[in-house]
Amino acid sequence: MKMIRPTLYKKFFFLLICFVSFSFLYSQKKFTIVLDAGHGGSDIGANRNYSDIGTVMEKNVTLGIVLKLGRMLEKNKDYKVIYTRKIDEYPSLTYRTDLANRSKAELFISVHVNSSPSKSATAQGTETFVQGPNQNKANLDVAKAENDVIFLDEKDKENFASYNPSSPESLIALKIQQSKYLQASLIVGGLVEENFVKKDKRLSRGVKQENLHVLRMNAMPSILIETGFVNNYDDAHYISTEEGQQSIAESIYNAITSYKKLVDRNVKEPEPEKPAEQPLKNDFRILLMSTPTRYTENDPALKGLKYILPIKENGNYKYYYGTTNYASVRDNNLKTAKDSGFRNAMSISFVPNQSLASGYYTIEVYAGRDRLDSKSHIMKTLPNMERNKENGVFYYTYGKYKTLEDAVKAQKELENKNIINTVIEKRIK
């Protein structure tokens, strides 16, 4: 976790500005802001019932603050305001981020309500998150609370299914994707928290970096504001009242106007767009290592990397990472492999759909000292396998394919039949 307390901002605020390029922020006549009221609909978010103030629900608090903030911004002709929701409904995280990106917004602000595990909460105050790699477990509970929403609809499952925040390639991708917006996000977050302290006299827990799904897909400076703890009585009472919500909205509004003034002072002519990258003729995979040892996909020897394709050739297993026909992705995959510890990794070219002039590909389904039992799932599913024994090890292989792509397709079909950890073998006659 990285944390920057608002009291420090005054000391180095302008130093940050020196390092921020604002040329990408001012591509439209109006300053477009996407306001996101967290949760909604069947997803009520954090909540707590009190005998004197009733049930405080996150989805209602966030919508109240966002609508008040939006009305203030809409009175200024320099702003264009876009809402992810204006009523009690649940827009998917995909919709929220897609809306912001399609709108070419200059700023994305997501409003939320915090909650701590303890029922008798001592945690209190505000905090603002910006996107960043997960560097510390201290705020993991907050990240989990927001990330759990990802599984509420099928579209989000489809888009985020392969995201693994603990894998090296995901962390590197996150750093590259968000680095150019990080400094600007920190400035906005610092302004918000500073206003909470100075104007509203509230306790600030600072500006922090955390891996939150609603931020990581945004191509713009983005912040997620936790306006208070629902299970802290003082916070809950404050954020549930019209007066408290209005004060919160005013503090965020003042931060936005201060930030826009900085943007206006530092605006530059946009750089000419680079031509779109053209695909290469061949596919490229990153060869991690060649060894006689067969590893399963979660073996520590693979150092947490996913999307590994093992290919057996001449008795050795070659482990390839990723596949692409774009040079930039190839180079990034190579860097990921080397950063993960495969210092001798290299890029290998594959001709797409190339048939072997002699020989074929087959799928090694099993390798072990013991023969497969005739009643095993593999034997029942694939009764026509070929069996060989070499140096006391039984090898069971299935199918013959002329292209690597056909073999990969067949391998995936076996996975659907719950036959996993297979290896494609290249046999030359």
Side-chain angles (χ1 to χ4, degrees):
M1 175 192 73
K2 286 186 178 177
M3 176 172 173
I4 301 177
R5 296 191 179 277
T7 53
L8 297 178
Y9 263 81
K10 195 170 183 179
K11 296 180 180 179
F12 64 89
F13 187 76
F14 291 102
L15 290 177
L16 274 176
I17 299 171
C18 295
F19 294 100
V20 179
S21 171
F22 290 99
S23 61
F24 62 95
L25 294 173
Y26 208 71
S27 59
Q28 297 173 308
K29 186 175 180 180
K30 287 196 173 186
F31 192 89
T32 302
I33 303 170
V34 172
L35 299 181
D36 174 45
H39 304 271
S42 61
D43 173 32
I44 64 175
N47 61 94
R48 180 73 184 274
N49 181 265
Y50 295 91
S51 59
D52 55 341
I53 59 177
T55 301
V56 181
M57 290 191 290
E58 180 173 9
K59 69 172 185 176
N60 295 335
V61 173
T62 60
L63 185 58
I65 294 170
V66 159
L67 293 178
K68 292 176 177 61
L69 173 59
R71 283 194 290 270
M72 284 188 281
L73 289 168
E74 288 169 339
K75 292 179 182 178
N76 190 321
K77 60 180 176 58
D78 292 332
Y79 296 111
K80 177 181 178 181
V81 181
I82 297 173
Y83 301 86
T84 61
R85 70 180 181 100
K86 297 182 75 173
I87 59 175
D88 185 15
E89 62 182 359
Y90 174 74
S92 71
L93 299 186
T94 301
Y95 171 82
R96 299 175 203 240
T97 55
D98 283 353
L99 176 64
N101 291 333
R102 288 197 311 269
S103 304
K104 297 182 180 178
E106 277 78 25
L107 190 59
F108 178 91
I109 295 179
S110 187
V111 177
H112 286 258
V113 172
N114 223 333
S115 178
S116 62
S118 173
K119 291 184 178 179
S120 57
T122 55
Q124 185 178 13
T126 66
E127 55 190 352
T128 297
F129 289 92
V130 300
Q131 178 57 42
N134 185 16
Q135 295 134 340
N136 193 297
K137 199 176 181 298
N139 286 290
L140 189 58
D141 289 338
V142 175
K144 287 180 179 177
E146 301 302 343
N147 291 344
D148 281 347
V149 183
I150 206 80
F151 299 109
L152 289 179
D153 62 54
E154 292 300 322
K155 187 65 177 175
D156 283 334
K157 286 182 182 178
E158 176 185 334
N159 282 5
F160 294 113
S162 62
Y163 175 65
N164 175 9
S166 63
S167 69
E169 62 267 35
S170 289
L171 290 178
I172 291 170
L174 285 173
K175 290 177 183 178
I176 294 172
Q177 184 187 44
Q178 292 298 92
S179 61
K180 62 180 178 178
Y181 307 119
L182 176 58
Q183 293 295 342
S185 301
L186 287 169
I187 290 174
V188 182
L191 288 167
V192 170
E193 291 296 320
E194 192 169 47
N195 287 342
F196 285 154
V197 172
K198 291 184 176 180
K199 184 181 77 66
D200 301 334
K201 310 304 178 185
R202 299 190 68 198
L203 173 67
S204 171
R205 296 161 62 91
V207 182
K208 306 173 183 179
Q209 287 184 254
E210 190 54 87
N211 290 315
L212 301 174
H213 282 300
V214 77
L215 298 180
R216 78 178 183 91
M217 296 293 286
N218 291 340
M220 70 212 65
S222 305
I223 61 173
L224 185 149
I225 305 169
E226 297 282 6
T227 54
F229 283 81
V230 73
N231 55 332
N232 178 285
Y233 178 81
D234 291 337
D235 274 6
H237 185 273
Y238 183 81
I239 64 178
S240 62
T241 63
E242 289 291 318
E243 295 79 7
Q245 292 178 12
Q246 183 64 33
S247 293
I248 293 170
E250 288 174 359
S251 288
I252 301 172
Y253 173 82
N254 292 340
I256 292 171
T257 55
S258 297
Y259 173 69
K260 186 178 182 299
K261 289 177 182 178
L262 292 172
V263 173
D264 292 342
R265 287 205 301 264
N266 290 275
V267 67
K268 299 177 182 178
E269 289 296 321
E271 295 180 3
E273 290 188 8
K274 295 181 180 179
E277 183 178 8
Q278 297 300 312
L280 303 171
K281 182 179 179 180
N282 291 344
D283 293 332
F284 288 86
R285 294 179 171 87
I286 307 304
L287 177 61
L288 302 177
M289 59 179 167
S290 179
T291 172
T293 305
R294 176 174 173 170
Y295 298 115
T296 58
E297 62 177 346
N298 294 319
D299 195 285
L302 299 178
K303 304 184 187 301
L305 291 179
K306 304 298 181 183
Y307 315 111
I308 303 293
L309 177 67
I311 300 179
K312 185 179 181 181
E313 190 173 353
N314 297 326
N316 278 335
Y317 296 93
K318 296 181 178 181
Y319 293 88
Y320 294 94
Y321 166 64
T323 179
T324 183
N325 62 345
Y326 284 93
S328 62
V329 179
R330 174 199 63 196
D331 296 344
N332 189 55
N333 286 347
L334 181 59
K335 183 179 185 303
T336 298
K338 291 190 174 184
D339 288 344
S340 299
F342 295 99
R343 300 301 180 188
N344 296 321
M346 64 182 69
S347 174
I348 304 296
S349 173
F350 288 77
V351 178
N353 296 301
Q354 183 181 43
S355 295
L356 293 177
S358 63
Y360 57 90
Y361 292 99
T362 186
I363 299 177
E364 184 179 279
V365 177
Y366 170 84
R369 294 286 178 182
D370 299 321
R371 293 173 57 175
L372 284 175
D373 191 298
S374 60
K375 296 180 181 180
S376 68
H377 171 68
I378 296 177
M379 290 296 289
K380 287 182 177 180
T381 307
L382 305 173
N384 299 320
M385 288 186 294
E386 178 182 324
R387 187 186 74 209
N388 293 299
K389 186 176 183 182
E390 297 177 14
N391 300 320
V393 177
F394 289 98
Y395 295 95
Y396 288 78
T397 57
Y398 173 78
K400 294 183 179 181
Y401 311 94
K402 294 301 291 183
T403 70
L404 179 58
E405 285 77 7
D406 287 340
V408 170
K409 181 180 179 181
Q411 189 179 44
K412 292 185 181 299
E413 291 173 354
L414 292 182
E415 288 178 2
N416 294 333
K417 296 177 181 179
N418 202 28
I419 299 176
I420 60 175
N421 289 321
T422 61
V423 174
I424 295 172
E425 181 179 359
K426 181 179 181 181
R427 291 183 177 179
I428 304 297
K429 291 181 179 179

